[in-house]
Structure formats: C-alpha cells, structure tokens
Amino acid sequence: MRYFNEINILRAFAILAVISIHVSTYFTKMGSINVLAATYMAIDVFSHFAVPLFICISGFVLYNKYSGAIDLRTFYEKRLMSVLPQYLIFSTFYLGVTYIVPMIRAKPVDLDIPHILYLYATGGCFYHLWFFVLIIQLYLLYPAIVRIYHYCDARGRTCELLIALFFAGVIFHTIYPAPDVYVLGVATRFMAYIFYFVLGMFIRSRYDDLVLKSVSTTPPYCLSLPLLCCTLLGIFTYAHEYFAVEITRIQPIAGQYWHWIDSMTTPLYYVVIFALCFGISLHLVSRRTRVFTVLEKIGHYSFGIYLVHAFFIYVLVQVFPRLGFDWNNWLFYPLTFALTLVLSYLSVEIIQKLPYSTYIIGSTR
C-alpha cells in the first residue's frame, strides 16, 4: 500500500477548517450585519470545505487500501472499530456535559431514555458528532460503492458516475427532509457527500497521471475568481437566512431558484478549494519546512482533535462572555481559534499516551 505524505497535510487543513467553522458560526448571534459579521460569514463560508475534504480523503485512503477483493468480515471489523468506540465514548461524554451544566444551573433536561437512544442513533449528542454517523454509513456502503466504481471504470464511465453523484447531492440538499422526518434525512445523509467520496477514489486511481500533472501546475491566481464569487454567494445566502436581508437586484433574478443555484455551485466551490489545498500540500511536502512538520503532526492528530475540540469551544464560549469578551470583539475569533487548537492538540498528545488510546481518539500514527 502506497503512502502519501500530502494526505496528512490535507487532514490538517480540514481540521483547521472544522475549528474555524465552529468558531466563526457565532456571527449568527450578532444583531445586525457589520464588517465583523461579514468577515465571520466569509470565513465560515470558505471553511465549510472541511467535511467534504475529510470525506474525499476517506474515499482516497480506502481505495488506496481496498481497491481489490474485500474480505467483508475483516473490512467491517477494522472500519467500525476505527470509529464506533470513539463515537460512543465521546457521545456519552458530551451528553454528560450538556446534561450536567444545565442541572448545575437548575434548568430542566430531557432524561427520557428513548430520546437519549435517538441522540446516539442520529449523532445528536453534540453538534459535531453527526459526522460519525455519516462516515459509518459510507464504511458500510463501501463494498457496494467500489463494485459500482469498478463497473463504471471498466467501461470508461467514471465521469458519468461522478456527474450522476454530483446531481444526487444537489437534489438531496434542495429537498432535504423536513424536521418532522429528520430520521429519514440522517439515514440518507450519505447521498449529500457520496460525490466527494467517489471523487477521492477517482483521484487515487489516476493519481500520477491526473493530479500531479494538472493540479500541481495550476497557477493559484486561476482559482481566485471562482473562490471570490462563491464566497460572495455564500455571504449573500447567510445574510438572507440569518439577517433577513433582501438584495433587490439579485433576489428577483434568483427568486425561488436561489437554493438550487447555491446547491449546485457549492460542490464546485469545494472542489476548487480542494485543488488549492492540494497544491499547497504538494509544495510543503517538497520543501519539508517547519510548517510542514507542524501541519503533519496536526494531520496525524486530526481525528482526535475533531473529537475534543468542540468541548474546548463550549467551555471558552461559556467563559469569555462572562469576562465581557464575546463574538462582537475582533479578537474573539483568532483567540478562540488559537486556544481551541492548542488545547485540543495538547489533550490528544496526552490521551494518546494512555493505554487503549486508539479506542478513545483513534490512531495517531
């Protein structure tokens, strides 16, 4: 099995973007749009490539290891043991945190057992744990996905497959089930991300011929215009959703089709960011600078950082406003981001020294 140094750099970019999303999202608590809120929105829009990139990396890595015949029992044992224990442990941990804090404040909590089981089943114990339900779905489906991919690839139809999965994701986003059938949405969530997963498989199968000859030689300035346009599109969408802003010159043109436009451009936006991140990662791998060393370590710890970072954000956001320092301050984002990253990194560094740490924060090799 071939090893790719750049994959850990990409994981580092993805986990940094995850932390960025969960810090910048506090623009939603601002009362009106100003320069700071617009800055948060731009950061949030751009950073949302994080989970799609993680999914793309998962497709790449799985295809790198399991592109041939698969022993289903061994495959499922290894894959599920790599995510299920960690998911259950941290679901319990976060559920305890979110129940204990309200109890201390004498606020009511829902201790209904069916409700708690529902949270475990849907990734609802804390806001970031939905990702594990998604990745478990893709692991369960991988043997079928790789068969379909091989079938299309043997007939020269992989591009058609990617296009079909792209539109499947667009349709899913535009007709996402209403809250009263939320379970249906969770059960089919993989449809929104399977395009990125198969894209990762496609990139791996043509890595030397396609990626190294094209993406690595693409001038970065060629990506600036689509990045700018899609970021502005995302800012407008956020402004309209969270601040009820109507831009009269755009709204009549887009009308009821605005959501479709956003759903179709967003995956292409993320692919452009993937290309940018990959070009940077190749550059860092070739230079082996101190930045490469730091990002490689963050990439190794990315799984554990994903698990623990939400706790530190939760604590900081509880503490900072009591000190008169909240999201309306320009230093809130950089300080919260930096502290979350450092504390998460150090906690993973400590936990990985414990016995059976793999079952807590995954492998850090």
Side-chain angles (χ1 to χ4, degrees):
M1 183 180 65
R2 184 175 169 184
Y3 183 79
F4 298 86
N5 286 302
E6 50 271 30
I7 290 298
N8 268 326
I9 306 301
L10 292 175
R11 286 194 179 108
F13 288 148
I15 194 59
L16 293 175
V18 165
I19 297 174
S20 178
I21 293 168
H22 295 154
V23 176
S24 62
T25 192
Y26 285 94
F27 78 83
T28 58
K29 294 184 177 293
M30 295 181 177
S32 61
I33 293 182
N34 52 35
V35 176
L36 180 57
T39 302
Y40 281 174
M41 285 190 283
I43 294 171
D44 193 87
V45 169
F46 182 85
S47 300
H48 264 84
F49 76 88
V51 167
L53 180 55
F54 269 132
I55 296 302
C56 186
I57 292 171
S58 294
F60 183 102
V61 172
L62 278 182
Y63 194 77
N64 185 50
K65 189 173 183 179
Y66 301 102
S67 59
I70 299 175
D71 182 328
L72 293 181
R73 179 176 178 178
T74 302
F75 173 81
Y76 283 132
E77 283 180 356
K78 288 185 176 180
R79 292 301 98 203
L80 293 179
M81 286 303 293
S82 70
V83 293
L84 197 55
Q86 298 86 347
Y87 170 69
L88 294 175
I89 288 170
F90 275 89
S91 291
T92 304
F93 170 75
Y94 283 109
L95 200 63
V97 170
T98 54
Y99 277 16
I100 291 171
V101 172
M103 286 179 178
I104 293 174
R105 296 179 177 178
K107 293 183 178 180
V109 294
D110 188 354
L111 295 175
D112 182 54
I113 298 300
H115 174 70
I116 293 175
L117 294 176
Y118 173 82
L119 294 178
Y120 275 98
T122 58
C125 292
F126 213 62
Y127 61 79
H128 68 309
L129 295 176
W130 66 271
F131 172 75
F132 289 89
V133 175
L134 168 63
I135 204 69
I136 288 170
Q137 289 175 350
L138 291 171
Y139 283 170
L140 293 174
L141 292 170
Y142 179 74
I145 293 172
V146 77
R147 282 177 174 269
I148 295 171
Y149 181 82
H150 284 156
Y151 177 86
C152 294
D153 193 37
R155 291 159 178 77
R157 300 292 184 182
T158 49
C159 288
E160 288 89 336
L161 175 63
L162 285 170
I163 292 171
L165 296 177
F166 170 83
F167 281 106
V170 170
I171 293 170
F172 181 89
H173 277 296
T174 52
I175 61 172
Y176 188 81
D180 56 342
V181 286
Y182 178 71
V183 175
L184 176 62
V186 172
T188 58
R189 182 172 285 155
F190 68 92
M191 290 300 300
Y193 294 91
I194 195 169
F195 164 73
Y196 307 110
F197 189 78
V198 176
L199 178 64
M201 296 168 60
F202 175 79
I203 293 172
R204 174 61 191 96
S205 66
R206 291 161 173 77
Y207 189 83
D208 295 317
D209 295 333
L210 177 64
V211 181
L212 289 176
K213 293 179 180 178
S214 57
V215 177
S216 62
T217 58
T218 302
Y221 62 81
C222 294
L223 307 178
S224 59
L225 183 59
L227 288 176
L228 176 62
C229 292
C230 290
T231 301
L232 291 174
L233 176 66
I235 292 173
F236 174 83
T237 302
Y238 278 169
H240 188 269
E241 179 177 356
Y242 293 104
F243 298 99
V245 173
E246 294 187 5
I247 302 178
T248 56
R249 293 184 179 180
I250 298 179
Q251 188 73 359
I253 297 174
Q256 60 182 325
Y257 302 108
W258 182 261
H259 191 48
W260 281 92
I261 295 171
D262 182 59
S263 297
M264 292 188 69
T265 56
T266 296
L268 302 177
Y269 176 50
Y270 294 156
V271 170
V272 171
I273 298 176
F274 293 176
L276 179 63
C277 290
F278 189 74
I280 295 172
S281 68
L282 288 176
H283 175 77
L284 292 172
V285 168
S286 65
R287 297 297 180 89
R288 300 279 177 159
T289 62
R290 186 179 297 273
V291 174
F292 167 80
T293 303
V294 172
L295 288 176
E296 186 181 41
K297 194 70 172 180
I298 292 174
H300 279 300
Y301 285 2
S302 59
F303 188 84
I305 291 174
Y306 188 95
L307 286 164
V308 304
H309 81 280
F311 171 73
F312 293 111
I313 293 177
Y314 178 80
V315 172
L316 292 173
V317 172
Q318 296 290 323
V319 172
F320 280 166
R322 297 176 182 274
L323 303 175
F325 180 76
D326 64 9
W327 37 85
N328 292 298
N329 190 304
W330 277 93
L331 293 177
F332 174 81
Y333 171 84
L335 184 59
T336 306
F337 178 92
L339 284 174
T340 300
L341 176 60
V342 171
L343 292 171
S344 299
Y345 181 93
L346 293 176
S347 65
V348 174
E349 182 80 26
I350 294 170
I351 294 172
Q352 62 98 23
K353 298 181 186 300
L354 300 176
Y356 307 107
S357 62
T358 301
Y359 297 107
I360 304 173
I361 56 169
S363 174
T364 56
R365 291 182 300 169

